């Protein structure tokens, strides 16, 4: 039985804040992360029982990401090193890794060799007694892998995953460029709508053995990430390289609602899911086309889960932007999400759209399933038949509606797959099917021999 409990932060009546990653150090000091400043920054509970800033002053940088999975950790007290915690954050697009002394507020930088993403920190000692930090890390030329970081020696030893991509792949890897583009904030179509910035990683087509026609700009594939309050990362992803090595540019969009840009940016999506994300994905595509980087007539979009919903919403509510789309286990009926989603996300739709059933009309209005009359773009649907998050019939209903309108549509169902594809042969099949379908709509030939 827990006794003598005391609320130290986030008490009723206090300003709203997001608090997580509580950690006790060897001296019993409680460290945690809070966004009370507008960004997730580190704090600790002082000897006087008051909350203290771990930094000299708050930074406009997030020291954490969304805790969508167990084991996430970006703050850990260092054993044997008084008042010290290992931290990571991204500032001006550059990943920082360091040891923060909360008493002096000084940060000792630790080298982050080419990394742009780190997490799952755990501290301890090696067999030889050296202090080590075990973490997951990766970068634009390196998949996320498990490392042991020898803090005193300032070196990292890799244990799992691929090494930094070898010279054999030089000239084939597309490295991301973060782009900032103009967008609008709700209420859209109103004089009250304000200008704002949003973000994306742009990957140019890259293949040293081939070059596109001189008189053509490349097609563009916009990726709408899931979550929807997760974030696109610049860490190497084979699925992106699949497209860029075949002559297709990619924009991985961090639309309003994505984490990594502070609370205000993250909460742009509340309660505007299906509006802000749609606006930003469209704005990213049009920005790249207006910049002369991609072909305006060959814009495509793809997303899975919540990103699949954004994809379908773009096709339904902004049909003038994209020529084709792909939905992977995407949501087409928000009302089903409100009624049947699993316990972990039971209250999520309340923030994203509104309370149900009070806001039922809004759930219907934003659902692509109820707006197929405006959907005029070809689309491909890929769905696991054992999906418990998004019922397979959501894809079937959309496919049937498009067929009735005479719009080109493809539909592939995968036996034994759930919410996200796990089997390698199905992952390959899904990618090839998308590429083939897009080639038929956008008018290019695939170098791969793909069975339709």
């Amino acid at each position: 039985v827990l006794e003598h409990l005391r609320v130290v932060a986030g008490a009723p009546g206090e300003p709203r804040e997001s608090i997580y990653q509580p950690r006790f150090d060897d001296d019993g000091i409680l460290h945690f992360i809070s966004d009370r400043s507008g960004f997730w920054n580190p704090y600790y509970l002082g000897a006087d029982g008051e909350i203290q800033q771990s930094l000299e002053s708050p930074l406009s940088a997030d020291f954490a990401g969304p805790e969508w999975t167990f084991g996430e950790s970006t703050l850990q007290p260092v054993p044997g090193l008084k008042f010290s915690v290992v931290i990571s954050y991204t500032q001006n697009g550059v990943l920082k890794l360091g040891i923060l002394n909360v008493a002096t507020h000084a940060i000792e930088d630790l080298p982050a060799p080419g990394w742009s993403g780190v997490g799952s920190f755990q501290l301890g000692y090696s067999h030889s007694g050296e202090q080590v930090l075990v973490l997951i890390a990766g970068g634009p030329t390196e998949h996320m892998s498990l490392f042991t970081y020898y803090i005193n020696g300032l070196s990292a030893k890799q244990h799992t995953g691929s090494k930094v991509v070898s010279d054999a792949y030089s000239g084939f890897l597309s490295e991301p460029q973060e782009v900032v583009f103009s967008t609008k904030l709700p209420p859209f179509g109103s004089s009250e709508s304000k200008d704002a910035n949003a973000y994306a990683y742009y990957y140019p087509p890259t293949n040293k053995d081939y070059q596109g026609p001189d008189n053509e700009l490349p097609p563009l594939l916009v990726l709408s990430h899931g979550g929807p309050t997760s974030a696109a990362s610049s860490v190497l992803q084979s699925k992106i390289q699949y497209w860029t090595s075949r002559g297709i540019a990619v924009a991985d969009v961090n639309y309003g609602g994505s984490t990594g840009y502070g609370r205000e940016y993250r909460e742009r999506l509340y309660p505007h899911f299906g509006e802000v994300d749609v606006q930003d994905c469209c704005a990213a595509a049009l920005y790249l086309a207006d910049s002369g980087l991609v072909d305006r007539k060959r814009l495509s979009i793809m997303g899975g889960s919540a990103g699949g919903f954004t994809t379908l919403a773009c096709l339904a509510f902004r049909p003038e932007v994209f020529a084709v789309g792909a939905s992977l286990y995407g949501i087409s009926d928000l009302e089903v999400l409100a009624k049947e989603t699993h316990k972990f996300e039971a209250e999520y739709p309340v923030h994203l759209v509104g309370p149900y059933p009070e806001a039922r009309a809004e759930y219907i209005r934003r659902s692509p399933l109820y707006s197929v009359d405006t959907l005029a773009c070809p689309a491909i649907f890929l769905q696991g038949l054992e999906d418990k998050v998004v019922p397979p019939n959501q894809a079937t209903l959309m496919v049937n509606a498009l067929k009735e309108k005479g719009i080109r549509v493809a539909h592939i169902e995968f036996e034994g797959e759930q919410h996200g594809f796990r089997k390698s042969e199905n992952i390959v099949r899904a990618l090839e099917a998308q590429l083939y379908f897009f080639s038929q709509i956008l008018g290019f030939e695939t170098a791969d021999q793909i069975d339709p």
Side-chain angles (χ1 to χ4, degrees), residues 4-62:
H4 309 298
L5 299 179
R6 180 166 65 95
V7 176
V8 298
E14 293 184 355
R16 188 168 58 91
E17 59 185 314
S18 170
I19 301 168
Y20 67 128
Q21 296 195 42
R23 307 279 190 264
F24 286 99
D25 64 19
D26 289 346
D27 296 311
I29 297 174
L30 175 63
H31 303 264
F32 63 94
I33 290 176
S34 167
D35 68 350
R36 56 176 55 190
S37 70
F39 288 81
W40 277 319
N41 276 203
Y43 295 84
Y44 71 97
L45 186 64
D48 58 359
E50 297 295 323
I51 300 300
Q52 305 292 333
Q53 289 183 173
S54 301
L55 303 166
E56 186 170 6
S57 58
L59 284 180
S60 296
D62 277 339

Side-chain angles (χ1 to χ4, degrees), residues 132-146:
V132 295
L133 166 66
V134 179
L135 74 162
I136 306 283
T141 61
E142 184 174 18
H143 293 287
M144 293 296 278
S145 305
L146 178 65

Side-chain angles (χ1 to χ4, degrees), residues 78 81 83-87 97-101 106-110 131 151 154:
V78 181
L81 200 58
F83 301 127
S84 296
V85 292
V86 173
I87 48 90
L97 180 67
I99 297 177
L100 167 65
N101 185 308
I107 297 178
E108 176 190 356
D109 289 333
L110 299 176
Q131 201 166 61
I151 294 176
L154 298 179

Side-chain angles (χ1 to χ4, degrees), residues 424-439:
S424 58
E425 62 269 25
N426 291 340
I427 295 172
V428 171
R429 174 62 176 144
L431 277 170
E432 290 183 342
Q434 291 170 76
L435 179 63
Y436 179 82
F437 188 77
F438 282 14
S439 74

Side-chain angles (χ1 to χ4, degrees), residues 226-269:
T229 54
S230 56
S233 166
S234 61
V235 172
L236 178 63
Q237 299 177 69
S238 297
K239 68 175 183 180
I240 290 179
Q241 302 300 323
Y242 177 85
W243 297 96
T244 56
S245 63
R246 287 160 174 78
I248 298 170
V250 172
D252 205 357
V253 182
N254 272 322
Y255 50 76
S258 305
T259 49
Y261 303 91
R263 181 202 284 176
E264 182 179 350
Y265 193 83
R266 189 172 70 244
E267 293 187 348
R268 281 186 190 179
L269 203 60

